[in-house]
Amino acid sequence: MAAALSLVMSQTFHGLCTFHIRRNFMKHLGNHYKENSDLPYMFDACMYEIEEVEQFNRVWEAMVKKYNLENNEWLFGLYRIRDKWARCMMKERWTVGIRNTRLSESLNVAIKNHLKLDHDLVQFFRHFNQVVDEKRHNKLIAEYEMRQKLPMVGLRQTPMLVHASETYGYIEITRRRDVCEFAVMRYDGGPERIVVFNRNDLSVCCSCKKYENEGILCGHALKVFDIVGIKTIPPEYVKRRWTKRARAGDCFDR
């Protein structure tokens, strides 16, 4: 699949399913488990949590050394393609937040629930169409509720997600003419994020890379917008695929 994508869809990023990686991890390294072992937690941190490459390498090396995995071929091969599954290597890739194949797997399960081994081709398509009709019906219900109801958001005084304003703190660390750099962090702890804001074009860039990865502005960027007096999200940061008009025509935004 990877070879075909590189030829036919050369601009497409090919990532690996984290669910299947986790299952293969249990298969190849299950014998290394001991009571109170932190091996799975260290591996999960490398795959889901760590955002900086240097920290990833430190934790990975510590994990390999601690559990004597230097000669494990499967783990070595997985490390060589870490750009396809490690969060720190993928945070600037356009993935819309999808890290596994659960969407297609759920469809497969739904189809299997309507099929039997003795079904012929006509019966298969009859049941297949039933599954498709159910999916479309559920989609219509979800879209109707989205259009008719307002989201449950705890707003108080400001127009833009006051929750972000109340949760995140900031320190303005540098100012270069029209470019400001903010350090944003949660009051209750968590990693510090660096947000760069340009007053000329109202552009914003956060070190967490949520917008680059998922196409949705993070709370850190929203906090900075609120600080500088911007009370509505600039239109260039509103991806059509996440709006109520996403189904009205083609959608090619990235």
Side-chain angles (χ1 to χ4, degrees):
M1 180 184 294
L5 283 173
S6 64
L7 294 174
V8 180
M9 305 173 68
S10 58
Q11 302 300 317
T12 300
F13 170 71
H14 175 241
L16 298 180
C17 174
T18 54
F19 170 78
H20 290 95
I21 291 177
R22 195 66 172 78
R23 187 170 65 178
N24 289 331
F25 174 83
M26 299 290 292
K27 176 182 177 182
H28 289 89
L29 300 176
N31 59 327
H32 290 271
Y33 279 34
K34 298 178 182 179
E35 187 176 357
N36 299 323
S37 171
D38 61 352
L39 175 60
Y41 303 104
M42 296 179 74
F43 183 80
D44 284 352
C46 290
M47 185 159 56
Y48 298 113
E49 300 174 10
I50 298 175
E51 298 182 359
E52 301 301 327
V53 176
E54 294 79 6
Q55 183 184 4
F56 171 87
N57 289 329
R58 289 197 302 269
V59 174
W60 187 271
E61 291 175 2
M63 178 185 70
V64 170
K65 183 177 181 180
K66 182 176 182 178
Y67 292 96
N68 300 316
L69 299 173
E70 293 86 351
N71 298 322
N72 188 286
E73 295 183 1
W74 179 82
L75 198 63
F76 177 73
L78 188 66
Y79 180 79
R80 287 190 301 177
I81 55 174
R82 57 193 179 279
D83 60 310
K84 293 180 177 289
W85 57 269
R87 180 178 180 180
C88 64
M89 308 293 291
M90 297 175 58
K91 64 180 183 179
E92 295 190 48
R93 297 285 190 175
W94 174 251
T95 67
V96 296
I98 297 176
R99 296 290 304 277
N100 53 59
T101 57
R102 287 183 180 178
L103 185 61
S104 61
E105 296 291 344
S106 64
L107 179 60
N108 293 339
V109 171
I111 293 176
K112 289 179 180 178
N113 290 335
H114 289 78
L115 297 179
K116 295 182 180 179
L117 295 176
D118 58 350
H119 282 174
D120 58 26
L121 192 59
V122 174
Q123 291 173 313
F124 166 79
F125 278 107
R126 183 182 298 118
H127 288 282
F128 177 80
N129 288 334
Q130 182 180 351
V131 173
V132 173
D133 290 340
E134 290 178 359
K135 294 288 184 180
R136 289 175 175 171
H137 178 69
N138 293 336
K139 177 66 176 178
L140 288 174
I141 293 177
E143 184 172 346
Y144 174 79
E145 293 181 348
M146 175 187 67
R147 292 178 180 275
Q148 299 299 320
K149 300 178 181 179
L150 293 175
M152 298 295 293
V153 180
L155 299 180
R156 293 184 182 176
Q157 298 177 351
T158 61
M160 182 190 294
L161 294 181
V162 174
H163 176 260
S165 175
E166 294 178 345
T167 303
Y168 293 95
Y170 80 96
I171 302 174
E172 185 174 343
I173 55 178
T174 61
R175 179 187 290 268
R176 301 185 302 274
R177 292 187 178 181
D178 294 321
V179 178
C180 303
E181 190 172 289
F182 297 84
V184 184
M185 72 292 291
R186 292 181 62 95
Y187 286 131
D188 56 357
E192 180 181 270
R193 311 294 187 180
I194 303 300
V195 181
V196 179
F197 172 72
N198 190 317
R199 294 182 181 275
N200 287 327
D201 55 8
L202 303 184
S203 63
V204 68
C205 180
C206 180
S207 61
C208 77
K209 301 299 181 181
K210 181 179 177 68
Y211 181 78
E212 289 80 358
N213 185 255
E214 301 182 22
I216 301 175
L217 281 177
C218 59
H220 320 102
L222 294 178
K223 173 65 177 179
V224 170
F225 275 146
D226 188 59
I227 293 167
V228 300
I230 299 175
K231 303 305 180 182
T232 59
I233 300 176
E236 60 267 25
Y237 287 107
V238 180
K239 297 293 187 182
R240 182 174 176 177
R241 68 176 61 245
W242 302 130
T243 67
K244 296 179 180 180
R245 299 182 60 254
R247 298 182 65 189
D250 298 327
C251 182
F252 298 104
D253 58 6
R254 291 192 58 184

